Amino acid sequence: MQQVTLNNCDKTMPAIGMGTVLSSRPGADPSETMKSALLEAIKAGYRHFDTAFIYQSEKPLGEAIVEAVHLGFIKSRDELFITTKLWCTFAQRDQIVGACKLSLRELQLDYVDMYLIHHPLRVSEKIQKFPVPKEMIHPLDIKGVWAGMEECKNLGLTKGIGVSNFSCKKLEELLSVAKIPPAVNQVEMNPIWQQKELREFCNAKGIHITAYSPLGAYNTIWGDNRVMECDVLTQIAKSKGKTIAQVALRWIYEQGVSLVVKSLNKERMKENLQIFDWSLTQPDLEKISELPQHKGFIMASSFGPHDFVMQLDAEI
């Protein structure tokens, strides 16, 4: 597994991580399904696991880590890189350390390796359902919230701190007040949503990008099949004897970006790791760079089409 060196983080991060959003299957306990899949992922070679308070997967991930050590798949938790995220209802200065400790209890860990602000907004009450009423959504107090994130790092609760779904504009605001700059910005990125301007900005500022939905979040509420049924990617995959997914993941990796994949299928788990011993040609890269662009994740589709949320969606 290739490693990524991060600024302001005491540990290198594996270039490929496993996502852990719980998905329900008829007749199956989603937590047990996730725990089993995570154990398979550790056996397959995954060492970075991406979770969040809102995913409800922190507990099964923690149980899988305990079991993996017990079974000898890993010697200790220190072999893993664990990312979790501050949910919007805790995005206030005085709640952040407590929220991080809550996640650590669920994970059965003393520390995480990366703690991210999940979204650049605050929700004032517990979310009962989506979309969220307009009166519950507020701008993020970036200065106060980031001070809380910095406290988590200074207390040793996390080795690194970062953000998710932040635009260039929001990152500028954050960098103007941060004592410890963010190590990571985790955003949607794939060949159909290439984030060129954001990547250039983050590269210039020393912020590493991690891509979620690298395959277009196919079979999710907001994702689609634009990546997995892309003719250009299909042709490149056939010419190289690779899968479409491998071509998409390799393209992301060649942009200097790490990525988070999610599959409960053992064979696909292994296939998704097999992107390091080959490369795309310059003509391949040129074809991919010319693909029509389409943003998949729209915050307004989850939080509601409120003016402030739509303003965030419009920012690059």
Side-chain angles (χ1 to χ4, degrees):
M1 176 66 73
Q2 299 295 313
Q3 301 286 322
V4 175
T5 300
L6 304 170
N7 288 329
N8 308 302
C9 183
D10 306 330
K11 194 169 174 181
T12 58
M13 180 173 71
I16 300 180
M18 173 66 73
T20 64
V21 180
L22 281 189
S23 52
S24 55
R25 292 184 172 184
D29 176 347
S31 290
E32 281 301 316
T33 301
M34 176 57 69
K35 180 181 167 184
S36 298
L38 292 169
L39 285 168
E40 288 296 339
I42 292 172
K43 282 168 64 178
Y46 288 86
R47 292 295 181 265
H48 177 194
F49 293 91
D50 180 87
T51 183
F53 173 84
I54 195 65
Y55 297 168
Q56 298 182 304
S57 60
E58 290 175 327
K59 188 175 182 187
L61 175 55
E63 291 171 352
I65 293 169
V66 170
E67 193 161 330
V69 172
H70 177 71
L71 294 170
F73 296 167
I74 52 175
K75 290 180 181 177
S76 79
R77 167 266 179 275
D78 296 340
E79 293 180 33
L80 303 178
F81 191 102
I82 307 298
T83 296
T84 194
K85 307 179 190 76
L86 174 78
W87 184 236
C88 308
T89 49
F90 304 122
Q92 294 191 90
R93 174 66 182 89
D94 61 351
Q95 293 189 41
I96 294 164
V97 168
C100 187
K101 287 180 176 178
L102 176 62
S103 287
L104 290 174
R105 283 198 297 274
E106 289 290 290
L107 288 161
Q108 302 183 57
L109 298 177
D110 296 325
Y111 69 91
V112 288
D113 301 286
M114 187 58 59
Y115 196 43
L116 306 179
I117 299 173
H118 206 146
H119 289 286
L121 55 80
R122 179 174 71 86
V123 178
S124 57
E125 299 172 34
K126 183 178 179 180
I127 297 173
Q128 304 294 341
K129 63 177 182 176
F130 290 96
V132 179
K134 181 179 180 180
E135 59 273 13
M136 287 170 54
I137 294 178
H138 307 274
L140 195 68
D141 168 21
I142 286 185
K143 184 175 182 180
V145 169
W146 194 250
M149 298 291 285
E150 290 173 330
E151 185 178 358
C152 289
K153 178 168 169 58
N154 291 332
L155 288 171
L157 303 178
T158 180
K159 290 187 178 295
I161 49 177
V163 296
S164 183
N165 300 302
F166 268 50
S167 63
C168 297
K169 181 179 179 182
K170 284 290 176 287
L171 288 170
E172 285 276 24
E173 289 180 42
L174 172 54
L175 289 168
S176 71
V177 298
K179 294 175 183 173
I180 304 171
V184 167
N185 185 19
Q186 186 181 122
V187 296
E188 177 193 7
M189 182 181 153
N190 55 59
I192 304 299
W193 188 241
Q194 297 183 12
Q195 296 273 28
K196 290 178 184 176
E197 189 170 332
L198 182 64
R199 279 192 280 131
E200 288 173 7
F201 179 90
C202 287
N203 285 340
K205 301 296 183 181
I207 302 169
H208 178 75
I209 287 187
T210 296
Y212 69 76
S213 301
L215 303 179
Y218 191 42
N219 284 333
T220 66
I221 294 170
W222 55 269
D224 59 38
N225 61 0
R226 289 170 200 254
V227 173
M228 297 305 289
E229 295 186 7
C230 171
D231 289 341
V232 169
L233 298 179
T234 301
Q235 290 163 9
I236 294 171
K238 283 181 180 176
S239 72
K240 289 187 153 34
K242 304 295 180 184
T243 67
I244 296 169
Q246 286 171 330
V247 170
L249 300 180
R250 177 70 198 187
W251 176 82
I252 292 170
Y253 175 69
E254 290 192 16
Q255 311 313 303
V257 172
S258 60
L259 53 107
V260 173
V261 291
K262 187 194 168 197
S263 178
L264 301 182
N265 179 285
K266 279 194 253 185
E267 292 310 309
R268 282 198 293 273
M269 278 185 199
K270 293 173 185 173
E271 284 178 358
N272 290 341
L273 291 177
Q274 294 166 2
I275 65 165
F276 297 117
D277 59 351
W278 56 280
S279 59
L280 296 166
T281 64
Q282 192 57 39
D284 294 336
L285 295 170
E286 288 170 5
K287 288 175 189 172
I288 293 172
S289 73
E290 294 167 359
L291 289 171
Q293 295 296 286
H294 175 80
K295 186 177 184 178
F297 177 68
I298 307 294
M299 278 191 270
S301 65
S302 294
F303 291 98
H306 313 305
D307 290 347
F308 173 65
V309 179
M310 292 173 75
Q311 177 188 325
L312 291 175
D313 279 328
E315 292 176 6
I316 296 173

